[in-house]
Amino acid sequence: MRYLALAMNLDGTLATGGRADEAALAALSRLRHTGRRVILVTSRRLADLTSVFSSLELFDCVVAENGALLYWPARRESTALCRPVPESFVRAMLQRGVTPLVRGQAVVYAPRAQAGAFVEAVGELGLELQVIFAGERVLAVPPGINKGEGLREALLSLGMSVHEVVSLGAGANDHSLLDVSECAVAVANALPALKERAAFTTRGAAGAGVVELVEELVQHDLRTDGVWTPQDSLTLGYGPSGERVGIPAYGENLLVVGPRGDEGASYVQGFLERLLQRRYQPCVIDCIGDFEPRDDMVKLGDRLHVPRVSQVMAALTAPAVKPVVSLAALAPEAQPGFFRELLPALEGMRLRTGRPHWLIVNGAQRLWPAGARDALRDAPKLGETLLRVEDPGAVARPILEQMDVAVGVGPAPARALQQLAGAIEETALHLPLSAGAEHAVLAWFIAEGRWPLRLRAPPRRAERLRRVPEQVEGDLGALGFTFRGRRGRTSPRAHNLRAFCRLAAQVDDDTWLFHLWNGDFSRWLRDVLHDDALARKVAAIECRYELPASDSRREVCGAITHHYALAA
């Protein structure tokens, strides 16, 4: 299964007018029977939920008080995630005659009309509190607390990550809930701003929308054409025109083929870097012993010590741990046996939690050698797996046939892909035997039947740091950014990022907003400067249409300055 949990708001989603939708509750029961988790995320107090539900045991976890409290119905245990709003604030509200004033374990509630009194008291008392709206109520919430952060804590306790979660919301305080999920959904009656944030909107409102989403999850795991197509992907490289080419983060396998050397290792390390930037959990199986683990990875085993399967699984229990499992101390003929013991444990963990998100196997020919007598019988079903091999002919054909995309690396990537075509008995590829440019690779989309495409490999962080002076203070020439505006009037070209920030302060608001709302800034950073991380930060600002031109200028230029200050 792709999605293992559904997290949803209560009012306006699962309940209307204080009453839970019975059809929606029945749908959630069916969803749980598939093995998926159901998490309720609400701004209400835990005590208030008894009037809505006869029992909370339908939910694996309840995130209450706008993210301040976790409740586990099966254990009947609750955990506060913050200190309560100070008593001084409550006294100030009572002195102002605010009524009815309701206290939760951490949050204070009042009618929406009392929002002005809440804001005044926060300012007068010098408190660090958030004042937010939830339907007809206003809430005083401790700093850093919201539905999204509460959901993060619930997922951590469940051993899951945001990549396995679908979230469903309707109200103004559901933005953070939708942010903490791989697929964000809004019901038909949701606020327009929330619908803009969502990946898609259900046809039905409130409970009907819940039923509709559950049916799509149960029947199709949200893979039905037209329901939702993930826009984000893992970058493989950049095409001739600078366009980004990638693969889905879920559901495909990648083969990196070519001679051992710096180029192949660098490409795999770059792919790993992009996984970690997206907060996926990889597990590296190093059959050869030459994989260089990053500083933030944990190495299990070495040339003298064989890791235990229990060690690997214990390390993977924490979503933040990225293990490199070295099999260098095992003889090549013994490595398949170790992996046959490890694989069922990994598959079981993936079924429960969705992790590890990707397997990276360095030297896959040792696990599945082509000449092995039991290659057909022992070939596992792979998913979200990267295999690094030198000679594809040395790998069992049932494994090669599961690869959706192959990337040829090294001085002659076409020759490597031709060897692969011969190994799986595909039509020979008539291509030049060299990549023809520095850092160029060839990507063959086997499952789609597309001919190999020449790509420029994305730069790794170390290479980006070397390029900082050119992008920040050098002369990018024709690659610079030109402010043209709605009327096409050309302003001076920003020949580097420092000049971009200077010109950004000078162009008129209409020109600035024209480029901002068209996504031109993030597109330039991503497709021309090949800086995905900075492009994502700027793209998030481009979507905030409510920002005045002056504020968006400050945020975009601040993101650029902060990004490269960190890199330096």
Side-chain angles (χ1 to χ4, degrees):
M1 289 185 295
R2 172 67 180 91
Y3 296 106
L4 303 179
L6 173 61
M8 73 189 69
N9 171 51
L10 175 59
D11 294 297
T13 305
L14 188 57
T16 303
R19 297 176 61 86
D21 187 290
E22 293 299 328
L25 295 180
L28 293 179
S29 180
R30 292 197 302 274
L31 185 69
R32 289 198 72 191
H33 285 146
T34 67
R36 293 178 172 89
R37 309 296 184 98
V38 178
I39 304 170
L40 180 67
V41 187
T42 177
S43 60
R44 292 200 190 199
R45 298 183 308 162
L46 202 59
D48 296 336
L49 299 180
T50 56
S51 64
V52 183
F53 304 103
S54 58
S55 170
L56 293 176
E57 293 187 1
L58 176 63
F59 306 104
D60 293 274
C61 181
V62 176
V63 181
E65 297 196 23
N66 213 64
L69 181 71
L70 299 186
Y71 176 69
W72 305 94
R75 306 195 300 264
R76 298 187 179 182
E77 295 177 359
S78 61
T79 303
L81 301 180
C82 62
R83 293 182 178 179
V85 169
E87 190 64 33
S88 59
F89 178 83
V90 178
R91 290 196 298 268
M93 291 300 97
L94 294 174
Q95 290 170 2
R96 283 174 164 80
V98 173
T99 183
L101 189 70
V102 180
R103 290 208 66 173
Q105 292 192 36
V107 175
V108 176
Y109 305 79
R112 189 185 183 100
Q114 302 293 342
F118 270 43
V119 173
E120 290 175 4
V122 169
E124 291 176 7
L125 297 172
L127 297 174
E128 188 180 3
L129 295 177
Q130 305 171 94
V131 177
I132 66 172
F133 296 99
E136 296 304 314
R137 296 177 301 171
V138 63
L139 284 63
V141 182
I145 295 299
N146 56 48
K147 289 184 175 182
E149 290 307 308
L151 177 58
R152 283 188 192 277
E153 291 296 325
L155 294 174
L156 186 63
S157 298
L158 291 168
M160 303 174 71
S161 77
V162 300
H163 297 293
E164 293 79 56
V165 182
V166 178
S167 60
L168 183 64
N173 61 332
D174 289 335
H175 283 277
S176 63
L177 169 62
L178 267 59
D179 286 340
V180 183
S181 66
E182 187 80 354
C183 179
V185 186
V187 286
N189 56 297
L191 295 176
L194 203 71
K195 291 180 181 179
E196 290 180 5
R197 165 65 188 84
F200 69 91
T201 301
T202 62
R203 295 183 299 274
V210 175
V211 174
E212 178 186 331
L213 179 60
V214 168
E215 289 303 315
E216 284 290 346
L217 277 167
V218 172
Q219 298 296 328
H220 309 291
D221 210 14
L222 293 190
R223 297 183 189 180
T224 305
D225 291 341
V227 174
W228 178 55
T229 301
Q231 299 299 312
D232 214 355
S233 63
L234 296 169
T235 304
L236 295 179
Y238 297 92
S241 302
E243 72 278 12
R244 185 174 61 156
V245 178
I247 60 172
Y250 181 86
E252 295 203 358
N253 296 312
L254 176 64
L255 178 70
V256 178
V257 57
R260 290 177 65 179
D262 292 341
E263 290 186 54
S266 178
Y267 189 87
V268 173
Q269 288 281 358
F271 189 85
L272 173 63
E273 184 177 280
R274 294 188 289 280
L275 283 174
L276 297 180
Q277 287 172 347
R278 296 272 304 282
R279 298 187 178 181
Y280 288 106
Q281 183 186 42
C283 177
V284 179
I285 310 296
D286 183 14
C287 303
I288 299 174
D290 62 355
F291 187 92
E292 289 295 332
R294 294 162 46 104
D295 292 340
D296 56 355
M297 302 187 80
V298 175
K299 187 173 182 180
L300 304 175
D302 53 34
R303 295 189 180 277
L304 297 177
H305 304 91
V306 179
R308 297 190 303 275
V309 170
S310 59
Q311 283 180 296
V312 178
M313 301 312 299
L316 287 168
T317 301
V321 174
K322 289 83 68 174
V324 176
V325 183
S326 175
L327 305 185
L330 278 175
E333 60 271 16
Q335 292 182 6
F338 177 91
F339 192 75
R340 280 195 295 269
E341 182 184 353
L342 175 63
L343 187 59
L346 291 175
E347 290 175 339
M349 186 174 189
R350 277 182 154 184
L351 285 173
R352 295 191 308 274
T353 69
R355 300 183 293 102
H357 299 110
W358 273 78
L359 295 181
I360 297 177
V361 182
N362 181 41
Q365 68 276 5
R366 292 196 177 182
L367 297 185
W368 304 288
R373 185 178 306 171
D374 54 359
L376 285 172
R377 179 172 57 84
D378 289 344
K381 179 70 172 68
L382 300 178
E384 299 81 55
T385 299
L386 182 154
L387 304 183
R388 170 74 177 104
V389 300
E390 299 173 54
D391 177 12
V395 181
R397 182 172 170 179
I399 297 298
L400 294 178
E401 289 176 339
Q402 296 184 53
M403 298 297 108
D404 299 281
V405 182
V407 175
V409 297
R415 182 182 292 120
L417 294 187
Q418 287 170 342
Q419 292 173 338
L420 172 61
I424 60 177
E425 298 184 3
E426 285 283 341
T427 304
L429 307 177
H430 302 289
L431 292 169
L433 296 181
S434 65
E438 185 183 9
H439 302 307
V441 298
L442 289 177
W444 181 18
F445 292 82
I446 306 170
E448 298 178 15
R450 290 162 54 187
W451 287 96
L453 177 66
R454 192 186 306 279
L455 302 176
R456 180 176 176 82
R460 293 177 57 194
R461 183 175 184 273
E463 184 181 342
R464 290 200 303 273
L465 295 187
R466 289 195 297 270
R467 290 167 53 188
V468 163
E470 175 190 4
Q471 296 189 177
V472 176
E473 297 182 343
D475 189 351
L476 296 172
L479 299 181
F481 188 88
T482 301
F483 289 93
R484 299 185 188 277
R486 194 182 311 276
R487 298 177 180 84
R489 293 179 299 187
T490 302
S491 299
R493 176 184 288 127
H495 55 276
N496 58 37
L497 286 168
R498 190 180 297 279
F500 173 88
C501 292
R502 185 178 66 253
L503 289 175
Q506 298 172 4
V507 299
D508 60 273
D509 289 356
D510 186 63
T511 297
W512 172 262
L513 293 175
F514 172 78
H515 288 295
L516 183 83
W517 292 345
N518 276 304
D520 294 339
F521 301 142
S522 62
R523 191 177 301 110
W524 175 59
L525 293 167
R526 181 182 62 249
D527 296 342
V528 179
L529 301 189
H530 302 323
D531 194 329
D532 283 358
L534 180 56
R536 283 195 297 272
K537 295 177 185 177
V538 172
I541 301 169
E542 290 171 335
C543 294
R544 295 170 60 191
Y545 302 108
E546 77 281 3
L547 285 178
S550 57
D551 291 351
S552 59
R553 276 189 179 93
R554 183 174 62 253
E555 293 207 19
V556 168
C557 293
I560 292 170
T561 302
H562 182 63
H563 179 78
Y564 281 103
L566 286 177

